[in-house]
Amino acid sequence: MENRLVINGGKRLSGKVVVDGAKNSAVALIPAAILADSEVTIEGLPDISDVHTLYDIVSELGGSVKYDSQTAIIDPSAIVDMPLPNGNVKKLRASYYLMGALLGKFKKAVVGLPGGCYLGPRPIDQHIKGFEALGAKVTNEQGAIYLRAEKLRGARIYMDVVSVGATINIMLAAVLAEGKTVIENAAKEPEIIDVATLLSNMGANIKGAGTDTIRIIGVPNLHGCHHTIIPDRIEAGTYMIAAAAMGDGVEIQNVIPDHLEGITAKLAEMGVPLEISEDSIFVKKSTAFKKVDVKTYVYPGFPTDLQQPFTTLLTQAEGDSIVTDTIYPSRFKHVAELMRMGGQFKQNERTAVIYGKTPLSGARVTATDLRAGAALVIAGLLAEGTTEILGVEHIERGYGNIIQKLSALGADIYKEIAESNLA
């Protein structure tokens, strides 16, 4: 037996939902805080398992974390350069940010190869190329990455592939390096600006975050500061899709609309009426959906993280839609699960054709990764009858209080705890 989410479908949604801080920022901000010499306060971190895993890792390294639902105070002053070959680092993909942070702080690090959702090969070769350019020797020994440097010196680094993870990781390593680092063909996601803002508040000298060229002049040390995380554009987009699918009027609060242009454009193209305010988006009731084609791109294009939830919505469009994922071509494991619920698809490599409109019916399905889980939750809301979703732990990695938030909107959703977990 394992934990499952149970959804009795067909209930209409209405009301307000408040978006948490960005998961993809949080998992980089906490490692970034390690670089300071004194307390770093971060407001608005999401209450998700990935964040709690990082708190545990900071404690393992000798730091302390005090947190409540609003604020985390991270004190890195007693952190030591302890190797992290196994354990918590294996639980999340973003543990690779510990490489850049520990290398920057101690000029050495041992970090187990990261875990998280398997979305096909996501190599860290661009991260390693950046670390080597800064003067580190990098080896892979028994499934852990060993990084060693006598000193780190600024360098000009051209990214062969636009990578959010590598851009942030190189920034973390470079802020305490000697001299000037230039990252060319850098990723431009809002989360990169968020991490650069925290580092700048800590005393780093960073220019150009959010453009394709980031310039960093190394400083001798960094100090604590106060920082508020940006809202999670992927969580916001997920609730916008759920509201489009089953809403009678849902307001999504705590958003930065500029960060959501990729998804708002596609929802509007489908015929979903939206009212966009300064920090909220109201999704009005939709009566019919037009088919649309979607291609994922790096920011500001349509986000790969919303491809799977959006695919669920397209099962309700009139006509056939085509979804192409140019970022993670193997990110289509949700298709087989949606087919169990009555969805009709044709899939090859990086493209899926969604045949609409098809009614969905409840079934037992499995969330194979975080955003596939979100796709199945939306399918469960739409479906006639009861849907049971296994693999709940994937969903909890990225969506804080999802049951409470959807229940407050009118969904019939609850978590069934496996008896073995109650012991």
Side-chain angles (χ1 to χ4, degrees):
M1 275 287 285
E2 58 177 297
N3 297 348
R4 65 197 64 209
L5 275 186
V6 181
I7 304 173
N8 294 309
K11 303 282 190 290
R12 303 295 299 179
L13 308 178
S14 61
K16 297 173 181 175
V17 62
V18 180
V19 171
D20 290 340
K23 167 193 179 281
N24 291 340
S25 272
V27 294
L29 292 171
I30 298 167
I34 288 173
L35 289 160
D37 295 335
S38 51
E39 280 187 354
V40 176
T41 302
I42 306 176
E43 275 193 46
L45 287 167
D47 184 13
I48 55 175
S49 60
D50 272 13
V51 164
H52 290 282
T53 300
L54 280 166
Y55 292 159
D56 291 343
I57 292 171
V58 170
S59 299
E60 278 173 41
L61 289 166
S64 77
V65 185
K66 298 195 283 273
Y67 61 89
D68 57 27
S69 59
Q70 296 301 313
T71 308
I73 301 167
I74 299 163
D75 183 353
S77 55
I79 279 181
V80 293
D81 57 337
M82 196 178 88
L84 295 168
N86 293 303
N88 280 315
V89 291
K90 300 284 192 185
K91 292 183 186 174
L92 72 158
R93 177 79 196 162
S95 59
Y96 54 45
Y97 292 132
L98 294 160
M99 296 178 194
L102 293 171
L103 179 64
K105 191 175 182 85
F106 297 112
K107 310 299 174 270
K108 59 180 177 176
V110 178
V111 180
L113 281 169
C117 296
Y118 183 73
L119 300 174
R122 296 200 279 178
I124 58 168
D125 56 330
Q126 295 300 302
H127 305 237
I128 290 167
K129 173 184 164 176
F131 296 148
E132 288 177 337
L134 294 169
K137 184 170 183 285
V138 185
T139 54
N140 182 349
E141 300 171 30
Q142 284 121 23
I145 301 289
Y146 283 68
L147 305 115
R148 306 172 183 88
E150 282 182 29
K151 65 164 61 176
L152 295 175
R153 286 193 183 87
R156 183 173 285 272
I157 300 162
Y158 180 83
M159 312 283 283
D160 302 316
V161 182
V162 177
S163 161
V164 174
T167 300
I168 291 175
N169 231 343
I170 294 165
M171 278 183 4
L172 295 177
V175 286
L176 292 173
E178 289 180 14
K180 184 176 183 178
T181 299
V182 180
I183 308 170
E184 295 180 293
N185 199 26
K188 301 194 277 277
E189 270 70 1
E191 293 78 12
I192 287 165
I193 300 171
D194 202 18
V195 175
T197 302
L198 171 70
L199 291 169
S200 298
N201 291 343
M202 286 161 57
N205 184 337
I206 302 173
K207 301 280 187 293
T211 74
D212 57 12
T213 305
I214 299 175
R215 292 179 172 81
I216 300 166
I217 296 172
V219 295
N221 60 295
L222 296 172
H223 51 74
C225 69
H226 193 286
H227 178 79
T228 303
I229 192 171
I230 58 170
D232 194 318
R233 61 198 171 93
I234 307 302
E235 187 193 14
T238 302
Y239 283 112
M240 287 168 70
I241 294 166
M246 287 301 290
D248 286 336
V250 175
E251 186 177 350
I252 292 106
Q253 298 178 329
N254 187 34
V255 302
I256 299 175
D258 286 357
H259 293 174
L260 294 163
E261 286 174 350
I263 181 70
T264 47
K266 283 296 166 188
L267 287 172
E269 201 181 318
M270 285 184 79
V272 177
L274 304 167
E275 268 178 27
I276 300 173
S277 308
E278 194 178 322
D279 60 357
S280 66
I281 294 177
F282 185 69
V283 183
K284 298 181 180 175
K285 182 174 182 174
S286 304
T287 48
F289 301 112
K290 301 175 191 147
K291 69 182 181 77
V292 298
D293 295 340
V294 175
K295 250 188 187 168
T296 68
Y297 284 111
V298 294
Y299 186 83
F302 191 94
T304 176
D305 281 353
L306 289 175
Q307 175 264 106
Q308 291 158 293
F310 200 74
T311 302
T312 300
L313 184 63
L314 290 174
T315 64
Q316 305 307 299
E318 299 290 344
D320 306 338
S321 305
I322 300 169
V323 171
T324 306
D325 200 318
T326 68
I327 313 287
Y328 296 130
S330 57
R331 199 172 204 165
F332 284 104
K333 293 198 178 76
H334 60 301
V335 165
E337 303 303 306
L338 289 172
M339 287 172 82
R340 292 174 194 261
M341 299 178 71
Q344 293 184 15
F345 301 85
K346 181 181 173 193
Q347 196 225 319
N348 60 16
E349 294 188 347
R350 57 180 61 222
T351 297
V353 180
I354 301 103
Y355 300 109
K357 172 184 180 181
T358 53
L360 300 179
S361 48
R364 178 178 288 188
V365 290
T366 301
T368 52
D369 59 77
L370 168 57
R371 307 304 174 184
L376 296 176
V377 168
I378 293 166
L381 297 172
L382 275 163
E384 189 175 310
T386 302
T387 298
E388 292 183 13
I389 304 173
L390 304 177
V392 181
E393 69 282 357
H394 288 300
I395 299 168
E396 291 171 342
R397 280 191 47 237
Y399 293 95
N401 304 311
I402 188 169
I403 294 169
Q404 295 90 319
K405 288 183 179 185
L406 286 171
S407 297
L409 294 174
D412 184 349
I413 177 173
Y414 59 93
K415 181 176 172 180
E416 217 167 66
I417 310 280
E419 284 175 19
S420 58
N421 293 347
L422 292 172

